[in-house]
Amino acid sequence: EAQVTQNPRYLITVTGKKLTVTCSQNMNHEYMSWYRQDPGLGLRQIYYSMNVEVTDKGDVPEGYKVSRKEKRNFPLILESPSPNQTSLYFCASSLSFRERGEQYFGPGTRLTVT
Amino acid sequence: GNSVTQMEGPVTLSEEAFLTINCTYTATGYPSLFWYVQYPGEGLQLLLKATKADDKGSNKGFEATYRKETTSFHLEKGSVQVSDSAVYFCALSDGSGGSNYKLTFGKGTLLTVNP
């Protein structure tokens, strides 16, 4: 089954404790992206990747890091999480940046930073 | 820069009512337009798309027409069902390329359909 998987689905952590949210897709997609969803703000892009080893900032990259060492994986790293990073996070992928309008989304990771 | 503006929600309808969710956009170049749907507890799913002016996208009884003259892409459905209760997002991708390699979303509109 074609899908985007994220882990963990739920995470409660404390300020300053480094964490990684994994994202993996099995569709051989080139383009991958991370979003955060907050009430009243909708969906905002954090980082995106056009292909392996090519990443760039989205609208709200502060406090986040990403890497794209393999085509299928695109982890999101919070090196020193803060409470304002409490949010619902989605990973998504598409065939290429040209098809970025047709993204497949993962199920989401709900992060709480206390 | 690019932007998408959706009607404020929430929208509450009775089953079989007519639905319209307004979406207008600002973009450089010739954008493609999309509607995504997010059911409770799930990720977003592409609902329909239109890639050029006057195109009509349709899926699952939903329709939207790309109107360049009014920069709009309103979502409509003739008869909603309880199962259509979800958050709906309008989005655009700028076809001009350049450095704009992202998808721009509206803030979403929550639809609740009552039996």
Side-chain angles (χ1 to χ4, degrees), chain B residues 23-61:
Chain B
C23 171
T24 57
Y25 67 89
T26 302
T28 56
Y30 303 96
S32 294
L33 301 172
F34 307 87
W35 277 100
Y36 279 78
V37 58
Q38 183 182 27
Y39 297 106
E42 299 184 10
L44 280 71
Q45 304 173 26
L46 180 64
L47 180 61
L48 54 84
K49 68 175 184 179
T51 58
K52 61 183 188 296
D54 299 325
D55 266 3
K56 177 185 281 189
S58 61
N59 187 24
K60 299 182 180 180

PDB file of all heavy atoms in Angstrom, chain B residues 23-61:
ATOM      1  N   CYS B  23     -13.004  30.383  -1.747  1.00  0.00           N
ATOM      2  CA  CYS B  23     -11.549  30.441  -1.745  1.00  0.00           C
ATOM      3  C   CYS B  23     -11.103  31.438  -2.805  1.00  0.00           C
ATOM      4  O   CYS B  23     -11.529  31.348  -3.955  1.00  0.00           O
ATOM      5  CB  CYS B  23     -10.958  29.067  -2.038  1.00  0.00           C
ATOM      6  SG  CYS B  23      -9.177  29.073  -2.319  1.00  0.00           S
ATOM      7  N   THR B  24     -10.284  32.395  -2.413  1.00  0.00           N
ATOM      8  CA  THR B  24      -9.669  33.308  -3.367  1.00  0.00           C
ATOM      9  C   THR B  24      -8.163  33.253  -3.183  1.00  0.00           C
ATOM     10  O   THR B  24      -7.678  32.879  -2.112  1.00  0.00           O
ATOM     11  CB  THR B  24     -10.168  34.751  -3.196  1.00  0.00           C
ATOM     12  OG1 THR B  24      -9.903  35.165  -1.854  1.00  0.00           O
ATOM     13  CG2 THR B  24     -11.648  34.870  -3.482  1.00  0.00           C
ATOM     14  N   TYR B  25      -7.439  33.654  -4.209  1.00  0.00           N
ATOM     15  CA  TYR B  25      -5.991  33.514  -4.140  1.00  0.00           C
ATOM     16  C   TYR B  25      -5.292  34.737  -4.723  1.00  0.00           C
ATOM     17  O   TYR B  25      -5.872  35.503  -5.499  1.00  0.00           O
ATOM     18  CB  TYR B  25      -5.544  32.254  -4.886  1.00  0.00           C
ATOM     19  CG  TYR B  25      -5.756  32.318  -6.381  1.00  0.00           C
ATOM     20  CD1 TYR B  25      -4.789  32.832  -7.229  1.00  0.00           C
ATOM     21  CD2 TYR B  25      -6.949  31.869  -6.939  1.00  0.00           C
ATOM     22  CE1 TYR B  25      -5.000  32.919  -8.594  1.00  0.00           C
ATOM     23  CE2 TYR B  25      -7.175  31.944  -8.303  1.00  0.00           C
ATOM     24  CZ  TYR B  25      -6.194  32.478  -9.123  1.00  0.00           C
ATOM     25  OH  TYR B  25      -6.413  32.556 -10.473  1.00  0.00           O
ATOM     26  N   THR B  26      -4.033  34.879  -4.341  1.00  0.00           N
ATOM     27  CA  THR B  26      -3.115  35.843  -4.938  1.00  0.00           C
ATOM     28  C   THR B  26      -1.873  35.076  -5.323  1.00  0.00           C
ATOM     29  O   THR B  26      -1.317  34.331  -4.495  1.00  0.00           O
ATOM     30  CB  THR B  26      -2.743  36.946  -3.930  1.00  0.00           C
ATOM     31  OG1 THR B  26      -3.926  37.589  -3.480  1.00  0.00           O
ATOM     32  CG2 THR B  26      -1.827  37.980  -4.576  1.00  0.00           C
ATOM     33  N   ALA B  27      -1.461  35.217  -6.574  1.00  0.00           N
ATOM     34  CA  ALA B  27      -0.295  34.456  -7.015  1.00  0.00           C
ATOM     35  C   ALA B  27       0.364  35.148  -8.198  1.00  0.00           C
ATOM     36  O   ALA B  27      -0.284  35.842  -8.969  1.00  0.00           O
ATOM     37  CB  ALA B  27      -0.691  33.039  -7.406  1.00  0.00           C
ATOM     38  N   THR B  28       1.659  34.921  -8.321  1.00  0.00           N
ATOM     39  CA  THR B  28       2.364  35.321  -9.531  1.00  0.00           C
ATOM     40  C   THR B  28       2.288  34.152 -10.506  1.00  0.00           C
ATOM     41  O   THR B  28       2.070  33.011 -10.118  1.00  0.00           O
ATOM     42  CB  THR B  28       3.828  35.639  -9.222  1.00  0.00           C
ATOM     43  OG1 THR B  28       4.412  34.495  -8.591  1.00  0.00           O
ATOM     44  CG2 THR B  28       3.938  36.824  -8.290  1.00  0.00           C
ATOM     45  N   GLY B  29       2.474  34.424 -11.741  1.00  0.00           N
ATOM     46  CA  GLY B  29       2.477  33.343 -12.714  1.00  0.00           C
ATOM     47  C   GLY B  29       1.105  32.731 -12.913  1.00  0.00           C
ATOM     48  O   GLY B  29       0.076  33.394 -12.770  1.00  0.00           O
ATOM     49  N   TYR B  30       1.113  31.448 -13.201  1.00  0.00           N
ATOM     50  CA  TYR B  30      -0.122  30.727 -13.520  1.00  0.00           C
ATOM     51  C   TYR B  30      -0.256  29.540 -12.579  1.00  0.00           C
ATOM     52  O   TYR B  30       0.197  28.448 -12.870  1.00  0.00           O
ATOM     53  CB  TYR B  30      -0.073  30.272 -14.986  1.00  0.00           C
ATOM     54  CG  TYR B  30       0.131  31.437 -15.925  1.00  0.00           C
ATOM     55  CD1 TYR B  30       1.405  31.768 -16.376  1.00  0.00           C
ATOM     56  CD2 TYR B  30      -0.942  32.219 -16.322  1.00  0.00           C
ATOM     57  CE1 TYR B  30       1.606  32.850 -17.208  1.00  0.00           C
ATOM     58  CE2 TYR B  30      -0.749  33.300 -17.155  1.00  0.00           C
ATOM     59  CZ  TYR B  30       0.526  33.613 -17.600  1.00  0.00           C
ATOM     60  OH  TYR B  30       0.722  34.688 -18.416  1.00  0.00           O
ATOM     61  N   PRO B  31      -0.881  29.763 -11.422  1.00  0.00           N
ATOM     62  CA  PRO B  31      -0.902  28.716 -10.408  1.00  0.00           C
ATOM     63  C   PRO B  31      -1.831  27.562 -10.758  1.00  0.00           C
ATOM     64  O   PRO B  31      -2.758  27.709 -11.563  1.00  0.00           O
ATOM     65  CB  PRO B  31      -1.415  29.440  -9.162  1.00  0.00           C
ATOM     66  CG  PRO B  31      -2.272  30.539  -9.706  1.00  0.00           C
ATOM     67  CD  PRO B  31      -1.582  30.983 -10.971  1.00  0.00           C
ATOM     68  N   SER B  32      -1.552  26.413 -10.160  1.00  0.00           N
ATOM     69  CA  SER B  32      -2.506  25.314 -10.103  1.00  0.00           C
ATOM     70  C   SER B  32      -3.204  25.401  -8.759  1.00  0.00           C
ATOM     71  O   SER B  32      -2.617  25.832  -7.762  1.00  0.00           O
ATOM     72  CB  SER B  32      -1.783  23.975 -10.233  1.00  0.00           C
ATOM     73  OG  SER B  32      -1.205  23.852 -11.513  1.00  0.00           O
ATOM     74  N   LEU B  33      -4.469  24.975  -8.724  1.00  0.00           N
ATOM     75  CA  LEU B  33      -5.288  25.123  -7.522  1.00  0.00           C
ATOM     76  C   LEU B  33      -5.806  23.772  -7.061  1.00  0.00           C
ATOM     77  O   LEU B  33      -6.080  22.884  -7.891  1.00  0.00           O
ATOM     78  CB  LEU B  33      -6.458  26.069  -7.797  1.00  0.00           C
ATOM     79  CG  LEU B  33      -6.055  27.472  -8.242  1.00  0.00           C
ATOM     80  CD1 LEU B  33      -7.281  28.268  -8.680  1.00  0.00           C
ATOM     81  CD2 LEU B  33      -5.329  28.202  -7.120  1.00  0.00           C
ATOM     82  N   PHE B  34      -5.937  23.642  -5.744  1.00  0.00           N
ATOM     83  CA  PHE B  34      -6.280  22.351  -5.159  1.00  0.00           C
ATOM     84  C   PHE B  34      -7.228  22.534  -3.978  1.00  0.00           C
ATOM     85  O   PHE B  34      -7.199  23.564  -3.305  1.00  0.00           O
ATOM     86  CB  PHE B  34      -5.009  21.646  -4.643  1.00  0.00           C
ATOM     87  CG  PHE B  34      -3.920  21.543  -5.671  1.00  0.00           C
ATOM     88  CD1 PHE B  34      -3.007  22.580  -5.843  1.00  0.00           C
ATOM     89  CD2 PHE B  34      -3.802  20.418  -6.474  1.00  0.00           C
ATOM     90  CE1 PHE B  34      -2.008  22.501  -6.800  1.00  0.00           C
ATOM     91  CE2 PHE B  34      -2.802  20.328  -7.430  1.00  0.00           C
ATOM     92  CZ  PHE B  34      -1.915  21.371  -7.593  1.00  0.00           C
ATOM     93  N   TRP B  35      -8.023  21.511  -3.745  1.00  0.00           N
ATOM     94  CA  TRP B  35      -8.750  21.378  -2.492  1.00  0.00           C
ATOM     95  C   TRP B  35      -8.323  20.076  -1.829  1.00  0.00           C
ATOM     96  O   TRP B  35      -8.300  19.015  -2.467  1.00  0.00           O
ATOM     97  CB  TRP B  35     -10.265  21.358  -2.708  1.00  0.00           C
ATOM     98  CG  TRP B  35     -10.869  22.724  -2.827  1.00  0.00           C
ATOM     99  CD1 TRP B  35     -11.228  23.369  -3.973  1.00  0.00           C
ATOM    100  CD2 TRP B  35     -11.182  23.611  -1.756  1.00  0.00           C
ATOM    101  NE1 TRP B  35     -11.740  24.608  -3.676  1.00  0.00           N
ATOM    102  CE2 TRP B  35     -11.716  24.783  -2.327  1.00  0.00           C
ATOM    103  CE3 TRP B  35     -11.067  23.536  -0.365  1.00  0.00           C
ATOM    104  CZ2 TRP B  35     -12.144  25.875  -1.566  1.00  0.00           C
ATOM    105  CZ3 TRP B  35     -11.492  24.615   0.396  1.00  0.00           C
ATOM    106  CH2 TRP B  35     -12.022  25.769  -0.202  1.00  0.00           C
ATOM    107  N   TYR B  36      -7.976  20.209  -0.546  1.00  0.00           N
ATOM    108  CA  TYR B  36      -7.655  19.053   0.277  1.00  0.00           C
ATOM    109  C   TYR B  36      -8.729  18.909   1.361  1.00  0.00           C
ATOM    110  O   TYR B  36      -9.333  19.902   1.788  1.00  0.00           O
ATOM    111  CB  TYR B  36      -6.301  19.234   0.964  1.00  0.00           C
ATOM    112  CG  TYR B  36      -5.098  18.922   0.109  1.00  0.00           C
ATOM    113  CD1 TYR B  36      -4.638  19.834  -0.845  1.00  0.00           C
ATOM    114  CD2 TYR B  36      -4.414  17.712   0.250  1.00  0.00           C
ATOM    115  CE1 TYR B  36      -3.526  19.531  -1.625  1.00  0.00           C
ATOM    116  CE2 TYR B  36      -3.305  17.411  -0.524  1.00  0.00           C
ATOM    117  CZ  TYR B  36      -2.870  18.330  -1.457  1.00  0.00           C
ATOM    118  OH  TYR B  36      -1.760  18.033  -2.230  1.00  0.00           O
ATOM    119  N   VAL B  37      -8.898  17.671   1.834  1.00  0.00           N
ATOM    120  CA  VAL B  37      -9.836  17.411   2.919  1.00  0.00           C
ATOM    121  C   VAL B  37      -9.111  16.671   4.037  1.00  0.00           C
ATOM    122  O   VAL B  37      -8.249  15.816   3.776  1.00  0.00           O
ATOM    123  CB  VAL B  37     -11.065  16.607   2.424  1.00  0.00           C
ATOM    124  CG1 VAL B  37     -10.662  15.274   1.808  1.00  0.00           C
ATOM    125  CG2 VAL B  37     -12.068  16.395   3.549  1.00  0.00           C
ATOM    126  N   GLN B  38      -9.422  17.050   5.270  1.00  0.00           N
ATOM    127  CA  GLN B  38      -8.835  16.392   6.449  1.00  0.00           C
ATOM    128  C   GLN B  38      -9.969  15.875   7.319  1.00  0.00           C
ATOM    129  O   GLN B  38     -10.675  16.658   7.979  1.00  0.00           O
ATOM    130  CB  GLN B  38      -7.959  17.371   7.227  1.00  0.00           C
ATOM    131  CG  GLN B  38      -7.270  16.729   8.424  1.00  0.00           C
ATOM    132  CD  GLN B  38      -6.440  17.736   9.215  1.00  0.00           C
ATOM    133  OE1 GLN B  38      -6.721  18.930   9.224  1.00  0.00           O
ATOM    134  NE2 GLN B  38      -5.400  17.258   9.871  1.00  0.00           N
ATOM    135  N   TYR B  39     -10.145  14.562   7.344  1.00  0.00           N
ATOM    136  CA  TYR B  39     -11.149  13.955   8.216  1.00  0.00           C
ATOM    137  C   TYR B  39     -10.607  13.885   9.642  1.00  0.00           C
ATOM    138  O   TYR B  39      -9.384  13.881   9.841  1.00  0.00           O
ATOM    139  CB  TYR B  39     -11.538  12.566   7.706  1.00  0.00           C
ATOM    140  CG  TYR B  39     -12.176  12.618   6.341  1.00  0.00           C
ATOM    141  CD1 TYR B  39     -11.490  12.202   5.209  1.00  0.00           C
ATOM    142  CD2 TYR B  39     -13.471  13.106   6.178  1.00  0.00           C
ATOM    143  CE1 TYR B  39     -12.062  12.267   3.955  1.00  0.00           C
ATOM    144  CE2 TYR B  39     -14.047  13.173   4.918  1.00  0.00           C
ATOM    145  CZ  TYR B  39     -13.332  12.763   3.820  1.00  0.00           C
ATOM    146  OH  TYR B  39     -13.900  12.848   2.571  1.00  0.00           O
ATOM    147  N   PRO B  40     -11.465  13.833  10.626  1.00  0.00           N
ATOM    148  CA  PRO B  40     -11.005  13.860  12.025  1.00  0.00           C
ATOM    149  C   PRO B  40      -9.938  12.814  12.308  1.00  0.00           C
ATOM    150  O   PRO B  40     -10.096  11.631  11.993  1.00  0.00           O
ATOM    151  CB  PRO B  40     -12.300  13.583  12.800  1.00  0.00           C
ATOM    152  CG  PRO B  40     -13.388  14.084  11.924  1.00  0.00           C
ATOM    153  CD  PRO B  40     -12.943  13.806  10.518  1.00  0.00           C
ATOM    154  N   GLY B  41      -8.842  13.265  12.899  1.00  0.00           N
ATOM    155  CA  GLY B  41      -7.772  12.362  13.303  1.00  0.00           C
ATOM    156  C   GLY B  41      -6.882  11.856  12.187  1.00  0.00           C
ATOM    157  O   GLY B  41      -6.063  10.958  12.403  1.00  0.00           O
ATOM    158  N   GLU B  42      -7.029  12.412  10.990  1.00  0.00           N
ATOM    159  CA  GLU B  42      -6.251  11.926   9.852  1.00  0.00           C
ATOM    160  C   GLU B  42      -5.416  13.032   9.219  1.00  0.00           C
ATOM    161  O   GLU B  42      -5.568  14.210   9.537  1.00  0.00           O
ATOM    162  CB  GLU B  42      -7.185  11.338   8.791  1.00  0.00           C
ATOM    163  CG  GLU B  42      -7.995  10.155   9.274  1.00  0.00           C
ATOM    164  CD  GLU B  42      -8.840   9.550   8.169  1.00  0.00           C
ATOM    165  OE1 GLU B  42      -8.670   9.924   6.986  1.00  0.00           O
ATOM    166  OE2 GLU B  42      -9.684   8.693   8.492  1.00  0.00           O
ATOM    167  N   GLY B  43      -4.533  12.622   8.299  1.00  0.00           N
ATOM    168  CA  GLY B  43      -3.805  13.586   7.496  1.00  0.00           C
ATOM    169  C   GLY B  43      -4.664  14.106   6.357  1.00  0.00           C
ATOM    170  O   GLY B  43      -5.785  13.651   6.142  1.00  0.00           O
ATOM    171  N   LEU B  44      -4.129  15.075   5.639  1.00  0.00           N
ATOM    172  CA  LEU B  44      -4.866  15.662   4.523  1.00  0.00           C
ATOM    173  C   LEU B  44      -4.866  14.717   3.328  1.00  0.00           C
ATOM    174  O   LEU B  44      -3.926  13.939   3.118  1.00  0.00           O
ATOM    175  CB  LEU B  44      -4.220  16.985   4.083  1.00  0.00           C
ATOM    176  CG  LEU B  44      -4.527  18.223   4.910  1.00  0.00           C
ATOM    177  CD1 LEU B  44      -3.862  18.170   6.270  1.00  0.00           C
ATOM    178  CD2 LEU B  44      -4.099  19.479   4.154  1.00  0.00           C
ATOM    179  N   GLN B  45      -5.935  14.798   2.548  1.00  0.00           N
ATOM    180  CA  GLN B  45      -6.034  14.038   1.302  1.00  0.00           C
ATOM    181  C   GLN B  45      -6.418  14.996   0.190  1.00  0.00           C
ATOM    182  O   GLN B  45      -7.270  15.864   0.394  1.00  0.00           O
ATOM    183  CB  GLN B  45      -7.137  12.978   1.372  1.00  0.00           C
ATOM    184  CG  GLN B  45      -7.061  11.999   2.488  1.00  0.00           C
ATOM    185  CD  GLN B  45      -8.296  11.128   2.541  1.00  0.00           C
ATOM    186  OE1 GLN B  45      -8.984  10.911   1.535  1.00  0.00           O
ATOM    187  NE2 GLN B  45      -8.607  10.618   3.718  1.00  0.00           N
ATOM    188  N   LEU B  46      -5.819  14.805  -0.968  1.00  0.00           N
ATOM    189  CA  LEU B  46      -6.199  15.615  -2.116  1.00  0.00           C
ATOM    190  C   LEU B  46      -7.627  15.269  -2.522  1.00  0.00           C
ATOM    191  O   LEU B  46      -7.964  14.110  -2.732  1.00  0.00           O
ATOM    192  CB  LEU B  46      -5.246  15.358  -3.275  1.00  0.00           C
ATOM    193  CG  LEU B  46      -5.529  16.135  -4.551  1.00  0.00           C
ATOM    194  CD1 LEU B  46      -5.378  17.636  -4.325  1.00  0.00           C
ATOM    195  CD2 LEU B  46      -4.600  15.669  -5.671  1.00  0.00           C
ATOM    196  N   LEU B  47      -8.470  16.287  -2.658  1.00  0.00           N
ATOM    197  CA  LEU B  47      -9.865  16.080  -3.043  1.00  0.00           C
ATOM    198  C   LEU B  47     -10.059  16.339  -4.535  1.00  0.00           C
ATOM    199  O   LEU B  47     -10.655  15.525  -5.238  1.00  0.00           O
ATOM    200  CB  LEU B  47     -10.769  17.010  -2.224  1.00  0.00           C
ATOM    201  CG  LEU B  47     -12.272  16.942  -2.494  1.00  0.00           C
ATOM    202  CD1 LEU B  47     -12.811  15.554  -2.200  1.00  0.00           C
ATOM    203  CD2 LEU B  47     -13.001  17.994  -1.661  1.00  0.00           C
ATOM    204  N   LEU B  48      -9.568  17.474  -5.022  1.00  0.00           N
ATOM    205  CA  LEU B  48      -9.670  17.774  -6.441  1.00  0.00           C
ATOM    206  C   LEU B  48      -8.668  18.844  -6.800  1.00  0.00           C
ATOM    207  O   LEU B  48      -8.106  19.508  -5.930  1.00  0.00           O
ATOM    208  CB  LEU B  48     -11.098  18.194  -6.814  1.00  0.00           C
ATOM    209  CG  LEU B  48     -11.750  19.336  -6.037  1.00  0.00           C
ATOM    210  CD1 LEU B  48     -11.355  20.693  -6.586  1.00  0.00           C
ATOM    211  CD2 LEU B  48     -13.269  19.208  -6.077  1.00  0.00           C
ATOM    212  N   LYS B  49      -8.476  19.021  -8.120  1.00  0.00           N
ATOM    213  CA  LYS B  49      -7.497  20.002  -8.578  1.00  0.00           C
ATOM    214  C   LYS B  49      -7.939  20.605  -9.905  1.00  0.00           C
ATOM    215  O   LYS B  49      -8.781  20.051 -10.617  1.00  0.00           O
ATOM    216  CB  LYS B  49      -6.136  19.333  -8.760  1.00  0.00           C
ATOM    217  CG  LYS B  49      -6.099  18.339  -9.913  1.00  0.00           C
ATOM    218  CD  LYS B  49      -4.706  17.784 -10.138  1.00  0.00           C
ATOM    219  CE  LYS B  49      -4.690  16.864 -11.357  1.00  0.00           C
ATOM    220  NZ  LYS B  49      -3.347  16.307 -11.626  1.00  0.00           N
ATOM    221  N   ALA B  50      -7.343  21.755 -10.228  1.00  0.00           N
ATOM    222  CA  ALA B  50      -7.522  22.389 -11.535  1.00  0.00           C
ATOM    223  C   ALA B  50      -6.215  23.083 -11.878  1.00  0.00           C
ATOM    224  O   ALA B  50      -5.644  23.777 -11.032  1.00  0.00           O
ATOM    225  CB  ALA B  50      -8.673  23.392 -11.512  1.00  0.00           C
ATOM    226  N   THR B  51      -5.747  22.890 -13.080  1.00  0.00           N
ATOM    227  CA  THR B  51      -4.412  23.377 -13.416  1.00  0.00           C
ATOM    228  C   THR B  51      -4.402  24.591 -14.314  1.00  0.00           C
ATOM    229  O   THR B  51      -3.349  25.211 -14.510  1.00  0.00           O
ATOM    230  CB  THR B  51      -3.578  22.265 -14.061  1.00  0.00           C
ATOM    231  OG1 THR B  51      -4.282  21.811 -15.224  1.00  0.00           O
ATOM    232  CG2 THR B  51      -3.364  21.108 -13.110  1.00  0.00           C
ATOM    233  N   LYS B  52      -5.549  24.962 -14.894  1.00  0.00           N
ATOM    234  CA  LYS B  52      -5.573  26.173 -15.707  1.00  0.00           C
ATOM    235  C   LYS B  52      -6.955  26.799 -15.649  1.00  0.00           C
ATOM    236  O   LYS B  52      -7.936  26.182 -15.247  1.00  0.00           O
ATOM    237  CB  LYS B  52      -5.165  25.880 -17.141  1.00  0.00           C
ATOM    238  CG  LYS B  52      -6.051  24.907 -17.876  1.00  0.00           C
ATOM    239  CD  LYS B  52      -5.487  24.664 -19.263  1.00  0.00           C
ATOM    240  CE  LYS B  52      -6.436  23.833 -20.120  1.00  0.00           C
ATOM    241  NZ  LYS B  52      -6.638  22.484 -19.606  1.00  0.00           N
ATOM    242  N   ALA B  53      -6.987  28.054 -16.094  1.00  0.00           N
ATOM    243  CA  ALA B  53      -8.223  28.831 -16.019  1.00  0.00           C
ATOM    244  C   ALA B  53      -9.373  28.108 -16.707  1.00  0.00           C
ATOM    245  O   ALA B  53      -9.194  27.491 -17.762  1.00  0.00           O
ATOM    246  CB  ALA B  53      -7.995  30.197 -16.646  1.00  0.00           C
ATOM    247  N   ASP B  54     -10.537  28.173 -16.071  1.00  0.00           N
ATOM    248  CA  ASP B  54     -11.805  27.588 -16.543  1.00  0.00           C
ATOM    249  C   ASP B  54     -11.873  26.073 -16.374  1.00  0.00           C
ATOM    250  O   ASP B  54     -12.909  25.477 -16.665  1.00  0.00           O
ATOM    251  CB  ASP B  54     -12.103  27.959 -17.991  1.00  0.00           C
ATOM    252  CG  ASP B  54     -12.236  29.458 -18.180  1.00  0.00           C
ATOM    253  OD1 ASP B  54     -12.740  30.117 -17.260  1.00  0.00           O
ATOM    254  OD2 ASP B  54     -11.800  29.957 -19.224  1.00  0.00           O
ATOM    255  N   ASP B  55     -10.788  25.456 -15.897  1.00  0.00           N
ATOM    256  CA  ASP B  55     -10.841  24.023 -15.577  1.00  0.00           C
ATOM    257  C   ASP B  55     -11.808  23.810 -14.423  1.00  0.00           C
ATOM    258  O   ASP B  55     -11.867  24.610 -13.497  1.00  0.00           O
ATOM    259  CB  ASP B  55      -9.464  23.524 -15.142  1.00  0.00           C
ATOM    260  CG  ASP B  55      -8.680  22.940 -16.285  1.00  0.00           C
ATOM    261  OD1 ASP B  55      -9.168  22.969 -17.426  1.00  0.00           O
ATOM    262  OD2 ASP B  55      -7.556  22.457 -16.021  1.00  0.00           O
ATOM    263  N   LYS B  56     -12.515  22.691 -14.458  1.00  0.00           N
ATOM    264  CA  LYS B  56     -13.351  22.302 -13.325  1.00  0.00           C
ATOM    265  C   LYS B  56     -12.801  21.001 -12.765  1.00  0.00           C
ATOM    266  O   LYS B  56     -12.672  20.008 -13.487  1.00  0.00           O
ATOM    267  CB  LYS B  56     -14.802  22.107 -13.761  1.00  0.00           C
ATOM    268  CG  LYS B  56     -15.712  21.616 -12.626  1.00  0.00           C
ATOM    269  CD  LYS B  56     -17.119  21.308 -13.107  1.00  0.00           C
ATOM    270  CE  LYS B  56     -17.934  22.556 -13.257  1.00  0.00           C
ATOM    271  NZ  LYS B  56     -19.365  22.255 -13.530  1.00  0.00           N
ATOM    272  N   GLY B  57     -12.463  21.018 -11.487  1.00  0.00           N
ATOM    273  CA  GLY B  57     -12.068  19.791 -10.808  1.00  0.00           C
ATOM    274  C   GLY B  57     -13.292  19.202 -10.123  1.00  0.00           C
ATOM    275  O   GLY B  57     -14.159  19.920  -9.647  1.00  0.00           O
ATOM    276  N   SER B  58     -13.341  17.873 -10.072  1.00  0.00           N
ATOM    277  CA  SER B  58     -14.485  17.243  -9.415  1.00  0.00           C
ATOM    278  C   SER B  58     -14.073  15.892  -8.836  1.00  0.00           C
ATOM    279  O   SER B  58     -13.190  15.210  -9.369  1.00  0.00           O
ATOM    280  CB  SER B  58     -15.653  17.060 -10.388  1.00  0.00           C
ATOM    281  OG  SER B  58     -15.265  16.224 -11.450  1.00  0.00           O
ATOM    282  N   ASN B  59     -14.731  15.537  -7.727  1.00  0.00           N
ATOM    283  CA  ASN B  59     -14.454  14.261  -7.070  1.00  0.00           C
ATOM    284  C   ASN B  59     -15.463  14.068  -5.947  1.00  0.00           C
ATOM    285  O   ASN B  59     -15.749  15.024  -5.207  1.00  0.00           O
ATOM    286  CB  ASN B  59     -13.028  14.244  -6.505  1.00  0.00           C
ATOM    287  CG  ASN B  59     -12.635  12.897  -5.958  1.00  0.00           C
ATOM    288  OD1 ASN B  59     -13.175  11.862  -6.344  1.00  0.00           O
ATOM    289  ND2 ASN B  59     -11.666  12.889  -5.053  1.00  0.00           N
ATOM    290  N   LYS B  60     -16.000  12.884  -5.801  1.00  0.00           N
ATOM    291  CA  LYS B  60     -16.912  12.528  -4.710  1.00  0.00           C
ATOM    292  C   LYS B  60     -18.091  13.482  -4.609  1.00  0.00           C
ATOM    293  O   LYS B  60     -18.587  13.757  -3.517  1.00  0.00           O
ATOM    294  CB  LYS B  60     -16.160  12.522  -3.371  1.00  0.00           C
ATOM    295  CG  LYS B  60     -15.022  11.518  -3.300  1.00  0.00           C
ATOM    296  CD  LYS B  60     -14.361  11.542  -1.924  1.00  0.00           C
ATOM    297  CE  LYS B  60     -13.231  10.554  -1.848  1.00  0.00           C
ATOM    298  NZ  LYS B  60     -12.568  10.546  -0.526  1.00  0.00           N
ATOM    299  N   GLY B  61     -18.544  14.045  -5.703  1.00  0.00           N
ATOM    300  CA  GLY B  61     -19.674  14.964  -5.697  1.00  0.00           C
ATOM    301  C   GLY B  61     -19.293  16.412  -5.462  1.00  0.00           C
ATOM    302  O   GLY B  61     -20.126  17.307  -5.571  1.00  0.00           O
TER     303      GLY B  61
END
